[in-house]
């Protein structure tokens, strides 16, 4: 089978009211490209599957459950069957606008990016997202940037485009909502170039959201910590250094004050403060060293990938 330019993967679960419109708009926006639309259904009990097939999409069924599982299955399917150059990820509920496909694909087609993320916060429709979800998305995205070094404002966005080689290389394992941040952090750690573009975000077309803000938020937070510990230990090393250095300095200040004002010496406190300060400085130096090593690693990975593409 010939290689496709773009494969669009849509995970669904009871989206009969919106999936038809999403597929039609994707087809209209990609009419000048060689593309395929694959719907990965997680066990819909309505007419989602029937509508998707009627609109010309290929439908495959999940053996397991979960947002991440749908994409992992979808990636494996399109890579083996269609061998696309680019894979697009989009929800089937109508919240993302297929009219933004051109701006999403452009950085990859122009050789400026390996992964493109649609930033919802720049063009979000009023009341498209409730306060709890919006606040949670902001907090989780900020924590992702701080703890992993990933320079993305909307790390939880589900509207993305990526070169197919990204999915071949990354060891993606998350079955649920943490899959979104896992893909980005691992892509960043493997030296892939990630950029953001503004995309529209609107209220879903019918149906109801499957997202549980507290349960899924906790899972995502837990995943961020694990990914940061594995792929960016700099944060934890720096945090440990500060945790040791600050109380060490405070204790040294106190013992110095006691000696200068009252002439009281406390050898135990002096020794403790010295050890805390020494350990804190060592941790900070390790963090600085790790930062430079990480930068060298990213540059080396990008150089090797660039040379292999020539």
């Amino acid at each position: 089978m010939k290689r496709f330019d773009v494969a669009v993967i849509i995970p669904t679960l009871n989206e009969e009211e919106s999936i038809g419109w999403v597929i039609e708009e994707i087809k209209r926006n990609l009419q000048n490209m060689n593309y395929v639309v694959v719907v990965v259904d997680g066990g819909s009990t309505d007419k989602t599957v029937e509508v998707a097939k009627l609109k010309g999409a290929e439908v495959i069924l999940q053996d397991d459950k979960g947002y991440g599982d749908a994409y992992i299955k979808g990636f494996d399917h399109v890579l083996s069957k269609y061998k696309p150059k680019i894979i697009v990820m989009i929800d089937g509920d109508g919240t993302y606008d297929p009219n933004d496909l051109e701006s999403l694909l452009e950085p990859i087609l122009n050789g400026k990016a390996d992964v493109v993320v649609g930033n919802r916060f720049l063009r979000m429709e009023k009341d498209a997202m409730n306060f709890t979800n919006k606040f949670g998305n902001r907090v989780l995205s900020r924590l992702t940037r701080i703890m992993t070094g990933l320079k993305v404002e909307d790390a939880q966005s589900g509207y993305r485009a990526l070169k197919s080689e990204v999915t071949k290389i990354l060891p993606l394992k998350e079955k649920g909502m943490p899959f979104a941040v896992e893909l980005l952090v691992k892509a960043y750690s493997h030296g892939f170039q990630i950029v953001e573009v503004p995309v529209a975000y609107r209220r879903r077309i019918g149906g109801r959201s499957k997202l549980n803000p507290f349960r899924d938020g906790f899972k995502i937070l837990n995943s961020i910590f694990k990914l940061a510990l594995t792929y960016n230990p700099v944060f934890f090393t720096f945090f440990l250094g500060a945790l040791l250095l600050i109380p060490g300095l405070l204790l040294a200040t106190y013992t110095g004050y006691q000696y200068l004002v009252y002439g009281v010496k406390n050898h135990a406190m002096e020794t403790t403060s010295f050890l805390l300060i020494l350990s804190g400085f060592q941790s900070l130096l390790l963090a600085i060293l790790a930062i430079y090593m990480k930068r060298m690693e990213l540059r080396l990975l990008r150089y090797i990938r660039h040379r292999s593409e020539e």
Side-chain angles (χ1 to χ4, degrees), residues 133-152:
N133 287 354
K134 187 182 293 185
F135 178 77
N137 272 279
R138 290 282 194 185
V139 170
L140 291 172
S141 293
R142 179 63 63 85
L143 285 174
T144 302
R145 292 200 303 274
I146 293 172
M147 296 178 67
T148 67
L150 179 67
K151 296 175 179 61
V152 173

Side-chain angles (χ1 to χ4, degrees), residues 54 67 71 114 139-140 142 145 147 162 180 206 220 248:
L54 183 65
Y67 176 81
Y71 275 117
D114 301 304
V139 170
L140 291 172
R142 179 63 63 85
R145 292 200 303 274
M147 296 178 67
L162 53 152
I220 294 169

Side-chain angles (χ1 to χ4, degrees), residues 205-232:
I205 303 174
R208 63 181 184 83
S209 175
K210 287 77 181 176
L211 178 70
N212 184 311
F214 297 103
R215 180 194 64 204
D216 291 320
F218 177 79
K219 289 180 179 178
I220 294 169
L221 182 62
N222 184 51
S223 179
I224 292 171
F225 273 93
K226 289 181 179 178
L227 289 166
L229 187 61
T230 303
Y231 293 97
N232 189 40

